[in-house]
């Protein structure tokens, strides 16, 4: 674990064609700002205000980062989301051309209720390398760590995948913890997991945090299963590129209209998408800062004259993962964030 007090250097020079390694630390400033903005709303019961504050802060700081980005996974279409909408250009306009995926608060309800595992999240990859879900908002997912990455298959029965994970990790199946979003649609899945002998760990929200916990060692989570957001799956794939492990997904359209949109876009709804399908580039970045405490990171904390943050920074090209503890002086940070 490192504590970063250094002045962060420019990430990209004009004319660079691919994201530079220093970009990862530049992006930390962005998720830190969003998390701090949302942190003021933790436990206040107002998820929209928490999200709005995080969006404003993220967009403000993102404009200072030296990249030529297009939001491919954002807060929605332009009419629904005035800022950080799908298709919006972000960054300074100079440097590498990249796809940008943003989730200013992954877990707005968690933030509003003061529950664990809310994150501010940002992912970047080379332009044109993030999967286009064509308005299919949900997918069936399976995530696990490096040990079982080449063994599991979403098409297999739940029990068989759990046995494969247990064998790969050298555990009894009764020792496995499986993260599942707490939704009515998952009742049959939960029954299968428990019938196989494994344990469930319910998530109220926080699909990205759950996926990363399933792929990262030492979190106490061995797998994630179930139906969650397609955008969150693509964001998580950027992290899993650095972590190892695997995410597999199969599009899960809701209703005839969404199904037809997927078919018109040329999607094979029976196809299992793997990590490299969701993000084809091997030069991508994932950054997250904790808003509330969780399995992955500590949340925003307040001291007398400081705000404390904890972030995780990943780069797939080098496989580097850093945990960054930040200390921000209240009066300086607020002035800086407003002017950025």
């Amino acid at each position: 674990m490192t504590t970063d007090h250094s002045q962060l250097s420019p990430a990209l020079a004009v004319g660079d064609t691919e994201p530079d390694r220093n970009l990862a630390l530049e992006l930390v400033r962005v998720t830190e700002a969003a998390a701090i903005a949302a942190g003021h709303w933790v436990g206040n019961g107002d998820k929209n205000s928490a999200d709005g504050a995080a969006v404003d802060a993220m967009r403000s700081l993102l404009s200072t980062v030296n990249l030529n980005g297009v939001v491919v996974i954002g807060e929605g279409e332009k009419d629904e989301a005035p800022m950080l909408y799908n298709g919006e250009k972000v960054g300074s306009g100079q440097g590498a051309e990249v796809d940008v995926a943003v989730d200013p608060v992954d877990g707005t309800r968690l933030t509003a209720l003061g529950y664990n595992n809310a994150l501010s999240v940002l992912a970047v990859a080379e332009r044109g390398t993030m999967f286009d879900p064509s308005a299919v908002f949900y997918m069936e997912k399976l995530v696990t760590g490096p040990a079982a990455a080449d063994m599991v298959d979403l098409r297999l029965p739940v029990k068989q995948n759990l046995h494969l994970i247990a064998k790969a990790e050298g555990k009894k199946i009764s020792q496995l913890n499986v993260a599942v979003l707490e939704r009515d649609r998952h009742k049959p899945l939960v029954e299968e997991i428990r019938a196989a002998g494994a344990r469930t760990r319910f998530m109220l929200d926080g699909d990205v945090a759950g996926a990363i916990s399933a792929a990262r060692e030492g979190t106490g989570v061995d797998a994630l299963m179930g139906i969650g957001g397609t955008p969150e799956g693509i964001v998580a794939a950027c992290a899993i590129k650095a972590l190892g492990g695997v995410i597999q997904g199969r599009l899960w359209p809701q209703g005839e209209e969404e199904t037809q949109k997927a078919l018109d876009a040329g999607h094979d709804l029976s196809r299992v998408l793997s990590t490299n399908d969701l993000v084809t580039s091997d030069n991508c970045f994932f950054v997250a800062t904790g808003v509330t405490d969780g399995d992955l990171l500590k949340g925003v904390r307040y001291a007398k004259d400081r705000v404390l943050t904890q972030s995780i920074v990943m780069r797939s090209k080098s496989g580097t993962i850093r945990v960054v503890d930040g200390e921000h002086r209240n009066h300086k940070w607020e002035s800086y964030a407003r002017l950025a």
Side-chain angles (χ1 to χ4, degrees), residues 11-17 23 59-71 88-98 100 127:
L12 296 162
V14 177
D16 284 349
T17 57
L23 178 60
R59 189 172 187 266
S60 176
L61 267 292
L62 194 53
S63 69
T64 70
V65 179
N66 202 19
L67 55 79
N68 183 357
V70 174
V71 176
E88 181 176 355
K89 293 183 178 180
V90 293
S92 68
Q94 299 176 332
E97 295 186 354
V98 294
V100 179
R127 179 69 55 83

Side-chain angles (χ1 to χ4, degrees), residues 22 118 255 268 317:
N22 294 320
D268 177 357
K317 190 171 185 178

Side-chain angles (χ1 to χ4, degrees), residues 101-334:
V102 300
D103 200 344
V105 182
D106 178 44
T108 54
R109 184 164 56 146
L110 302 177
T111 301
L113 298 176
Y115 289 168
N116 287 356
N117 287 322
L119 301 174
S120 175
V121 174
L122 180 62
V124 170
E126 292 168 302
R127 179 69 55 83
T129 61
M130 289 187 184
F131 180 74
D132 178 6
S134 303
V136 180
F137 295 106
Y138 289 93
M139 62 166 38
E140 184 183 359
K141 301 176 189 177
L142 169 61
V143 181
T144 193
D150 296 329
M151 301 171 69
V152 296
D153 191 321
L154 188 59
R155 294 164 292 193
L156 295 175
V158 168
K159 183 176 181 179
Q160 188 171 347
N161 275 320
L162 291 173
H163 276 287
L164 291 169
I165 293 168
K167 181 179 179 180
E169 294 188 358
K171 293 182 176 181
K172 297 178 180 178
I173 196 168
S174 60
Q175 296 173 320
L176 295 183
N177 291 309
V178 183
V180 181
L181 280 170
E182 190 175 3
R183 302 289 187 270
D184 286 343
R185 64 177 178 263
H186 287 150
K187 287 180 179 178
L189 171 63
V190 169
E191 289 176 1
E192 287 188 76
I193 293 169
R194 290 174 176 170
R199 300 177 291 192
T200 54
R201 181 174 292 190
F202 283 121
M203 306 177 294
L204 182 64
D205 289 305
D207 208 1
V208 173
I212 295 170
S213 295
R216 185 162 165 77
E217 293 182 8
T219 64
V221 178
D222 301 287
L224 175 140
M225 293 182 173
I227 296 161
T230 304
E232 288 84 352
I234 297 166
V235 170
C238 289
I240 291 168
K241 283 269 190 170
L243 288 166
V246 69
I247 178 170
Q248 296 181 3
R250 184 163 46 198
L251 295 177
W252 195 74
Q254 299 179 90
E256 293 182 5
E257 182 179 350
E258 207 171 279
T259 298
Q260 192 59 51
K261 283 183 179 180
L263 294 173
D264 291 344
H267 291 303
D268 177 357
L269 298 180
S270 65
R271 180 188 177 194
V272 174
L273 302 160
S274 194
T275 313
N276 289 329
D277 298 311
L278 296 173
V279 184
T280 59
S281 171
D282 193 38
N283 190 14
C284 55
F285 299 82
F286 173 91
V287 183
T289 301
V291 177
T292 61
D293 289 342
D295 297 324
L296 196 62
L297 295 166
K298 295 177 183 177
V300 178
R301 289 148 289 150
Y302 299 92
K304 182 178 179 181
D305 60 345
R306 296 168 297 153
V307 181
L308 309 178
T309 58
Q310 188 173 68
S311 306
I312 192 166
V313 186
M314 309 184 195
R315 185 187 184 214
S316 65
K317 190 171 185 178
S318 62
T320 302
I321 301 166
R322 293 183 174 93
V323 176
V324 180
D325 288 324
E327 296 184 7
H328 315 275
R329 295 288 175 180
N330 269 330
H331 67 286
K332 290 187 176 183
W333 174 260
E334 289 175 2

